[in-house]
Amino acid sequence: MSPTLLILGGGLMGRLCALALSEPGFWPKPARIRLLEKGSFSPSQELYQASAAYAAAAMLSPLAESVLLQQDLVELGYRSMQLWQQLQQQLPDFGLQQQGALLLAHPQQQNLLLHLVSQIKAQPDYRPKWLTKTELAELEPSLAARFQHSCYLPGEGQLDNQAVLKHSLQLLQQRGVSLEAQSAAEFRGEELWCNGKFEAADLVIDCRGLGASTELPLLRPVRGEVLRVKAPAVQLSRPVRLFHPRYALYIAPKGDGIFVVGATELESADQSGPSVRSALELLSALYSVDPAFAEAEILSLQASARPALPDNRPEIQQKPGLIRVNGLYRHGYLLGPALAEQVAQLALSQFSETKELCYG
């Protein structure tokens, strides 16, 4: 019998799980997969644009993030890099690149940068490298005149998150996954309901993020604010991070003169628009990296909330007929593919163990 699966939440994690579970040949018999999203799948809709997956810079930085991540999560990050490369073979170009990243600091913040680099968990094939001014000029000529201190992180990368979101839907549709927008799912005890209707499936995979707060009471929102600008006069070929006592600014070049800029991380459930303070800090720090940003066109300034658990680690929970994945914090694009791979293996194991997994 072919399995029936319900994936709750059409954000990044839901889509990655749907892609992993709809991979041709993954199931002995083709599965019927439905992807339910309470909002819209269209980027023209406000709910979609407010999502963390849509607003993110989508940097793939396991080495830089190793300051915050335990070693097992760093390894998941590198596994995700491999999975993004595989996915690039199946989707139209989504801007995946791995040209490394730069860590920068102005002279008065040199000690801050030294301290941070000392906390990076060097990997066998990826180790931080301090650059001379000449070496920095070879990588990013526009930065060498303003920065005396820089560190290069090999293997770091990024992708175009908006292209990923667009093309992933197209591939899911090609694979026969049912995409159901305006479908708000909720658990009533052990039963799953959607838009006032009882739902049954062999397996439910809950990827609702903050929408699962009722079932995961320790889940909390972490607010982030992201600026998108167009600056044709600025020449950067790889992501850079600027360290400052109040924030760590990142700038991710997306091609065609587009840059995604972010720094803020607030413990807040506030869903309102970006604050003036955050905008001023982002713009001031951006100008300090390259004064040519002064002539940039501001394309958007967005705020979004990311789901996090108390230890800021992602978590996969399961019981017969149900798998939950949540708490990706600020590491959705970095860890998502590897977590989706784990979810898919758990789903296959559950269905292999018993044919009586109907939840609800």
Side-chain angles (χ1 to χ4, degrees):
M1 181 178 66
S2 298
T4 60
L5 291 85
L6 279 178
I7 301 176
L8 312 181
L12 176 66
M13 199 65 236
R15 296 181 196 207
L16 290 172
C17 286
L19 287 169
L21 290 162
S22 64
E23 184 74 30
F26 182 78
W27 297 97
K29 294 184 179 180
R32 180 177 178 235
I33 302 175
R34 298 166 58 198
L35 178 61
L36 277 56
E37 165 57 37
K38 70 176 182 179
S40 171
F41 285 114
S42 170
S44 64
Q45 299 296 317
E46 181 179 353
L47 285 174
Y48 182 99
Q49 293 187 7
S51 71
Y54 187 84
M59 294 198 299
L60 309 176
S61 307
L63 200 56
E65 292 298 320
S66 70
V67 173
L68 300 173
L69 297 177
Q70 293 86 357
Q71 179 62 27
D72 63 323
L73 295 183
V74 176
E75 292 171 3
L76 277 185
Y78 282 108
R79 174 56 182 162
S80 286
M81 300 277 265
Q82 296 174 342
L83 294 171
W84 281 123
Q85 292 169 1
Q86 294 176 20
L87 197 56
Q88 180 70 86
Q89 306 305 313
Q90 304 175 52
L91 294 176
D93 180 54
F94 55 80
L96 178 65
Q97 59 95 338
Q98 287 180 259
Q99 299 183 58
L102 287 171
L103 306 181
L104 306 173
H106 292 296
Q108 58 270 36
Q109 273 82 51
Q110 178 186 6
N111 289 338
L112 183 66
L113 181 59
L114 287 168
H115 175 69
L116 181 127
V117 173
S118 72
Q119 295 180 299
I120 290 176
K121 300 177 180 68
Q123 305 301 305
D125 298 323
Y126 301 101
R127 296 180 179 277
K129 181 182 187 304
W130 288 101
L131 301 181
T132 66
K133 191 170 182 178
T134 300
E135 290 171 325
L136 176 60
E138 292 174 353
L139 287 179
E140 299 291 351
S142 65
L143 299 178
R146 283 178 301 284
F147 292 95
Q148 304 294 322
H149 309 286
S150 62
C151 183
Y152 176 67
L153 302 182
E156 307 287 88
Q158 62 166 325
L159 51 81
D160 183 341
N161 60 312
Q162 296 181 10
V164 166
L165 296 175
K166 174 184 176 181
H167 298 320
S168 62
L169 285 185
Q170 295 171 348
L171 181 56
L172 290 173
Q173 288 175 317
Q174 293 171 12
R175 292 180 177 181
V177 175
S178 176
L179 307 177
E180 303 176 27
Q182 310 301 325
S183 298
E186 62 176 338
F187 288 89
R188 301 179 184 177
E190 294 296 310
E191 295 182 348
L192 177 65
W193 289 70
C194 180
N195 294 340
K197 177 185 174 184
F198 172 75
E199 297 281 357
D202 291 310
L203 183 60
V204 173
I205 299 173
D206 188 351
C207 304
R208 290 175 297 156
L210 291 170
S213 298
T214 300
E215 289 73 36
L216 298 172
L218 295 180
L219 204 62
R220 76 186 196 281
V222 178
R223 178 183 169 93
E225 299 177 348
V226 177
L227 174 70
R228 188 174 289 258
V229 302
K230 185 171 185 179
V234 177
Q235 300 297 319
L236 289 177
S237 58
R238 54 184 51 77
V240 301
R241 296 182 184 230
L242 174 68
F243 289 90
H244 184 278
R246 293 196 308 275
Y247 44 73
L249 176 86
Y250 60 77
I251 306 172
K254 299 300 182 181
D256 298 324
I258 305 297
F259 296 86
V260 176
V261 186
T264 56
E265 183 174 302
L266 306 173
E267 295 287 342
S268 172
D270 183 8
Q271 297 292 318
S272 61
S275 67
V276 170
R277 176 180 178 177
S278 293
L280 289 172
E281 289 185 342
L282 287 174
L283 292 169
S284 297
L286 186 62
Y287 178 80
S288 78
V289 171
D290 191 334
F293 276 115
E295 304 303 321
E297 175 188 358
I298 297 176
L299 301 178
S300 65
L301 180 56
Q302 298 171 283
S304 64
R306 297 157 292 189
L309 291 164
D311 58 2
N312 292 334
R313 287 177 59 93
E315 184 174 275
I316 298 176
Q317 301 177 353
Q318 71 164 328
K319 62 181 179 179
L322 176 65
I323 298 173
R324 282 198 174 97
V325 56
N326 214 317
L328 272 73
Y329 185 43
R330 60 189 235 182
H331 303 123
Y333 285 92
L334 176 61
L335 301 180
L339 292 172
E341 181 180 53
Q342 292 183 2
V343 168
Q345 291 300 320
L346 290 174
L348 188 62
S349 297
Q350 282 211 21
F351 198 74
S352 299
E353 291 169 2
T354 176
K355 300 295 180 68
E356 302 296 334
L357 292 183
C358 185
Y359 189 83

